[in-house]
Amino acid sequence: MASAAGLSGIPLRDFSGGPNLRDAASELADNECVDAWNVTFDERGGAQSRLGMSKFNGTVYDAAKVQNMFDWKAGDALIVQVGAKLYKGTSTTANKTFTTAARVGFAEFDGKLVVCHPVDGLFTSTDGVTFTAVADVDAPKGNALAVWQNKVWVTGLSSKVSWSDAGSVTSWTSTSFNFLREKDDETVVALAGSSGVDISGRPGLLAYKNESAYRIYDSVTGDYETLDATVGAASALSVVSVGGLTISLSKHGIFQTDGIGPLRNVSERFQPLWSPSALAFDKQSLWCAGRLGNRAYFSLPRSGEAANNLELEYHPEQGWIAPGSAAASCYATFSAATELLYAGSPTVNGQAYQRFSGGTDDGTAISWRFQTHWLEPNRGFQATVWQVRLHGRGKGTMTVLTDFASTGGAAYPFEYTTSSPVYDTAVYDTAVYDDPVLQATQQFLSIGLCRQVSLKFTGSSSTTVSGPVLLGAGAGQTLGAFGLAGIDVLHVPLGIS
């Protein structure tokens, strides 16, 4: 936009492209950003600090890592594997102990909880407390389970995929298996239900190796077709379904399919991350995926790390990826009365968390940062940035970077509060507090000369903000303390110098 006396403005209202780690600074799209950490994006492209996490189990289960979690719907309970033991809900009483701490696979079939251990084999439970071994000598072992076409499917130790007799988890036939050897004899690491049917009307079950993906379309013979000969999944936990899409995490990136078509790379803007110098390719068994609402979450370790320490949030409809520090060892979406996302701690033994709960990570403040793409107010020629106007909430520091510099720049503290103070009337406490607002405008004058300008926001917060009540009643949505709805950069062009 333009105004009198040569004053022009650049409005920024949409950050829905998310960070772009691949392209040169001058090539980023208008809705992309240079950098973001512990910042997520709303459905209209606004940026805001993520919510935190609180303890699910007040007392740790055991002195071992949380390996896997499963939402057992029929039992209305979360089943948690910690080391070699299984727990139900928050109880610290182990209900099942395996011979090794190898990760198990979970499924639900005919109301029963089904558990498969790669050494000890198949077990069932009707209450999550007492477990019965499947006695059939043909019952397989593994750690990847799925229920499809009224059968239980098991794999995870080789290229062999086995399936139970129809309608039964305890009855298995010695010939009910197939080897997925279209490309190689590598291990099938993951199974996932397909959401659609192909042109012939056939439903499907997706099977992943580390570097290939397949669609089993016949539940009687196990016949299959190859969806991708080069891309697969990292582990049994690294595939998740969101809506009509099945999304997988592999060492090549994040890929999605409708269950029929080929896998499509949706993480191309993060291409430099997918390398052994950035990620621990030797720890792919730790990589995992989860879902809440219309978003997918992935956790994995950076290069040289022994535990997951990077989380990537992915929005399938908008396409952005938001990185942060809330990594998990495993995820489970618990969809009882309220849909919640639970996560195992990759570093604290025996601890699970409820995600998006409060403004801290179990009492630790959340540090965040966000940097816009580079603006060229005068098409690469010099300009005077007269004013920067922020529309948002929270407090922190805005650093004005100029001319593609990655460091330096003038720093401006920002803080949005109500116009009148709020008095704490507690006994022995007469302190005055500023009440944070949901959204306000703050302006900064006389920014200076530049050819290009980018705004970097940094801060740390331990609180949340309540959104407006919904339809005039009840509690509002809980939001992160920092929010950025828009920016206006007002400038004066200085000719072609």
Side-chain angles (χ1 to χ4, degrees), residues 9-353:
I10 302 176
L12 297 179
R13 294 294 185 274
D14 181 9
F15 309 110
S16 63
N20 184 335
L21 311 184
R22 177 193 61 193
D23 298 319
S26 59
E27 297 176 338
L28 268 59
D30 289 344
N31 68 342
E32 293 175 348
C33 63
V34 172
D35 181 41
W37 183 254
N38 285 333
V39 166
T40 185
F41 304 91
D42 63 30
E43 299 299 323
R44 290 292 185 178
Q48 58 184 306
S49 56
R50 67 167 176 83
L51 296 176
M53 63 183 79
S54 59
K55 285 185 174 69
F56 169 66
N57 50 314
T59 302
V60 297
Y61 294 108
D62 197 7
K65 186 175 72 172
V66 176
Q67 296 259 63
N68 201 356
M69 308 173 77
F70 180 70
D71 173 24
W72 180 30
K73 291 180 175 57
D76 191 26
L78 193 70
I79 307 300
V80 184
Q81 181 191 5
V82 182
K85 302 176 182 179
L86 294 184
Y87 298 83
K88 182 180 179 181
T90 59
S91 171
T92 56
T93 299
N95 298 311
K96 172 65 181 174
T97 301
F98 298 101
T99 57
T100 75
R103 181 188 289 151
V104 302
F106 290 109
E108 180 180 316
F109 188 82
D110 192 25
K112 299 182 181 70
L113 175 65
V114 184
V115 185
C116 193
H117 188 274
V119 176
D120 298 349
L122 270 170
F123 297 82
T124 64
S125 177
T126 58
D127 59 6
V129 175
T130 301
F131 290 81
T132 303
V134 175
D136 195 321
V137 294
D138 295 316
K141 300 175 181 180
N143 63 3
L145 272 69
V147 174
W148 180 59
Q149 296 287 284
N150 200 28
K151 298 178 180 181
V152 178
W153 298 69
V154 178
T155 188
L157 299 181
S158 68
S159 62
K160 181 180 180 180
V161 178
S162 303
W163 55 90
S164 70
D165 294 349
S168 175
V169 66
T170 58
S171 179
W172 298 75
T173 301
S174 61
T175 56
S176 294
F177 67 86
N178 199 2
F179 287 96
L180 275 59
R181 291 172 172 165
E182 184 80 14
K183 174 191 173 186
D184 51 40
D185 203 26
E186 293 298 308
T187 298
V188 177
V189 299
L191 295 174
S194 171
S195 62
V197 295
D198 64 16
I199 194 170
S200 301
R202 302 174 300 184
L205 175 69
L206 301 184
Y208 293 83
K209 299 181 180 182
N210 283 152
E211 308 227 23
S212 54
Y214 308 86
R215 179 174 177 272
I216 300 171
Y217 57 81
D218 193 316
S219 63
V220 176
T221 64
D223 286 349
Y224 63 92
E225 60 186 352
T226 302
L227 291 184
D228 198 301
T230 58
V231 174
S235 76
L237 302 186
S238 67
V239 182
V240 65
S241 294
V242 179
L245 300 171
T246 302
I247 309 170
S248 58
L249 174 68
S250 80
K251 72 177 187 178
H252 300 291
I254 300 171
F255 289 77
Q256 70 184 32
T257 176
D258 60 2
I260 302 168
L263 275 63
R264 181 172 68 87
N265 190 345
V266 295
S267 59
E268 292 179 340
R269 282 174 286 192
F270 273 59
Q271 180 181 341
L273 183 67
W274 309 109
S275 73
S277 62
L279 299 177
F281 280 9
D282 59 334
K283 297 289 192 299
Q284 289 186 67
S285 63
L286 302 178
W287 299 19
C288 60
R291 178 201 64 83
L292 185 65
N294 63 347
R295 304 183 184 191
Y297 298 85
F298 303 95
S299 285
L300 61 170
R302 302 295 295 266
S303 180
E305 299 293 332
N308 293 344
N309 65 342
L310 171 65
E311 182 178 72
L312 301 174
E313 179 184 10
Y314 168 58
H315 194 303
E317 295 177 5
Q318 294 186 352
W320 51 258
I321 295 174
S325 61
S329 61
C330 56
Y331 295 95
T333 304
F334 189 67
S335 52
T338 303
E339 186 173 84
L340 301 171
L341 182 64
Y342 292 107
S345 172
T347 55
V348 181
N349 281 339
Q351 186 63 61
Y353 295 105

